[in-house]
Amino acid sequence: MLHIPGAWQRAARGAGLLSPAGELAPTIFAEITAAAVRHDAVNLGQGFPDEDGPPEVLDAAIAAIRDGVNQYPAGRGMPVLREAVSDHQHRFYGIDVDPEREILVTAGATEALTAALLALLDGPDDEVVVFEPYYDSYAAAVALAGARLVPVPLRWPSLEPDVDELRAAVRDRTRIILVNDPHNPTGTVFSNEVRDEIVRLAERHDALIVTDEVYEHLVMDADHVPLATLPGAAERTLTISSGGKTFRTTGWKVGWVSGPADLVDAVLAVKQYLTYVNGAPFQPAIAVGLGLPDTFFDDLAATQRERRDLLGAGLRDAGFEVSTPAGSYFTVADVRSMLAPGEDAAAFCRALPERVGVAAIPLTAFATPEHRDRYETLVRFAACKRTDVIAEAARRLAASAS
């Protein structure tokens, strides 16, 4: 048992990894991955691809290494990448951002999020509204900043927020509304009504908006709509994204944050004492990716749509109720039909690799401890593997019902 005082306890407790006795538990992701390896299961747990990215992007990284781009890059990020991000925002969304003052390159979106929360929160009087279930790093970062997390539930089966519950959550103590759209872990893409209400509430309560848009090019049935494009939002919004999901380079950890210069400067003030800089040869490679033709981005979404539908069919054949995602890698299913007496989603997922030969993550891993009963029969499956791998997982799931 650890008896070492420090901020790590806030982070671990916020992430739900610290027991009342002070024992640090492993993440459910580590448990499920180990079980998948032991039982040779198809791992639809963690959300990383099993394919390499486009050759133009990979070749650009190799060329940069060979050309000596191996030392510290500029603190704000290499100009070639900041300019590529600026061009990308204008090309896809009509957003104009200054690459010199309004863009900061980070060690993935997770660092951008953590640095932004640490920079903009100032203790227990500050509140952060999130949509629950939420990406697991959010709670840890808010806890590190000493602030309070205020969850707004996404209700099954639509996995959309209730606007009245959102209005009740945002108040004058709200410092940040943290928006993940497309959403991990549910695959939800927020409606225009929800987006408009987020901006209206932020204006009314003088709150900031921080958006996590790493799945922006994995919206399958519509176009992605950044909150920063809505009237009144740009001056109070930090937009975060990365190249990992779009270009299947999650291990490169190249992300960025864009927005008003004063907000970006605040994030830089913290970020420069975290990683300082990162990924020099990968930055020009991601810049190449951001400039790929429209057909690349269209094909990316079409491929993900095919895999989503394939996985969804297998889950339905297994007898599960399925919420069809509009974006991201993820599909959520209600597995109550396969639960043993007294079993919840977490126990189900721990047994699934051996029982069925497929690995998945319980949605309870993405919720505050006091709200986990809302999600006790819901499981997240990641459809970011090769199509033949998804097909095999779907076959195993369907066979488990026979």
Side-chain angles (χ1 to χ4, degrees):
M1 184 182 301
L2 293 172
H3 295 285
I4 304 169
W8 72 271
Q9 292 179 320
R10 291 202 306 273
R13 188 174 294 110
L17 300 179
L18 199 66
S19 74
E23 296 174 331
L24 185 64
T27 69
I28 190 72
F29 302 95
E31 286 187 62
I32 298 302
T33 296
V37 171
R38 283 197 307 273
H39 299 290
D40 195 27
V42 178
N43 192 351
L44 304 186
Q46 288 185 285
F48 60 86
D50 60 354
E51 300 170 285
D52 281 333
E56 302 95 322
V57 174
L58 305 182
D59 290 346
I62 294 168
I65 291 170
R66 289 176 173 163
D67 289 345
V69 184
N70 301 303
Q71 309 308 323
Y72 294 138
R76 287 183 178 267
M78 293 178 69
V80 66
L81 178 54
R82 287 186 278 119
E83 289 165 5
V85 171
S86 177
D87 291 344
H88 170 276
Q89 295 302 92
H90 181 80
R91 169 187 170 190
F92 286 97
Y93 312 124
I95 300 173
D96 292 319
V97 286
D98 179 1
E100 295 297 320
R101 292 293 316 281
E102 297 180 331
I103 296 171
L104 172 65
V105 177
T106 59
T110 300
E111 187 199 34
L113 288 158
T114 301
L117 293 170
L118 291 174
L120 301 173
L121 297 171
D122 193 26
D125 289 337
D126 285 348
E127 295 180 347
V128 179
V129 170
V130 297
F131 295 91
E132 184 183 58
Y134 45 77
Y135 179 56
D136 56 342
S137 82
Y138 298 172
V142 170
L144 275 175
R148 179 171 177 263
L149 197 73
V150 179
V152 175
L154 303 183
R155 299 289 187 179
W156 181 263
S158 69
L159 291 174
E160 296 177 354
D162 180 276
V163 174
D164 288 336
E165 290 183 320
L166 174 59
R167 292 188 188 113
V170 180
R171 54 185 188 161
D172 289 345
R173 291 181 63 173
T174 302
R175 177 62 174 158
I176 292 173
I177 305 174
L178 178 51
V179 183
N180 182 199
D181 182 15
H183 186 264
N184 173 14
T186 67
T188 294
V189 170
F190 291 127
S191 67
N192 289 335
E193 179 188 15
V194 170
R195 293 190 192 105
D196 290 343
E197 189 63 18
I198 289 169
V199 176
R200 191 189 72 79
L201 289 168
E203 290 181 308
R204 178 179 177 182
H205 296 280
D206 195 25
L208 300 172
I209 301 170
V210 176
T211 72
D212 176 354
E213 302 182 24
V214 299
Y215 296 101
E216 60 185 310
H217 290 295
L218 290 164
V219 177
M220 290 169 274
D221 300 311
D223 293 326
H224 176 59
V225 179
L227 278 175
T229 62
L230 301 186
E235 60 265 29
R236 63 178 67 248
T237 300
L238 282 173
T239 301
I240 292 170
S241 193
S242 76
K245 305 302 190 297
T246 300
F247 305 114
R248 299 190 293 276
T249 54
T250 60
W252 289 10
K253 299 299 292 178
V254 176
W256 50 86
V257 54
S258 62
D262 55 345
L263 293 180
V264 172
D265 285 348
V267 180
L268 173 62
V270 172
K271 179 265 185 298
Q272 65 190 350
Y273 298 111
L274 296 176
T275 59
Y276 175 43
V277 292
N278 70 290
F282 302 133
Q283 292 191 28
I286 295 297
V288 168
L290 291 172
L292 288 174
D294 289 352
T295 52
F296 168 79
F297 299 95
D298 293 341
D299 290 347
L300 184 72
T303 298
Q304 192 59 38
R305 185 184 307 112
E306 176 189 4
R307 293 172 180 177
R308 172 199 68 182
D309 294 345
L310 188 60
L311 174 60
L315 291 167
R316 290 185 181 91
D317 288 344
F320 301 148
E321 184 180 358
V322 178
S323 177
T324 300
S328 85
Y329 287 156
F330 307 109
T331 294
V332 175
D334 188 333
V335 301
R336 70 179 69 231
S337 64
M338 197 183 284
L339 294 179
E343 189 177 43
D344 63 7
F348 172 85
C349 287
R350 289 186 173 97
L352 192 64
E354 182 176 11
R355 185 188 299 175
V356 178
V358 175
I361 299 295
L363 225 58
T364 50
F366 306 94
T368 51
E370 58 268 31
H371 296 158
R372 286 177 182 167
D373 59 343
R374 294 173 176 168
Y375 313 105
E376 61 185 1
T377 67
L378 302 180
V379 172
R380 186 195 80 170
F381 295 83
C384 52
K385 310 304 180 183
R386 298 189 316 273
T387 302
D388 61 305
V389 174
I390 298 294
E392 175 59 18
R395 184 195 67 76
R396 294 183 185 188
L397 287 161
S400 69
S402 59

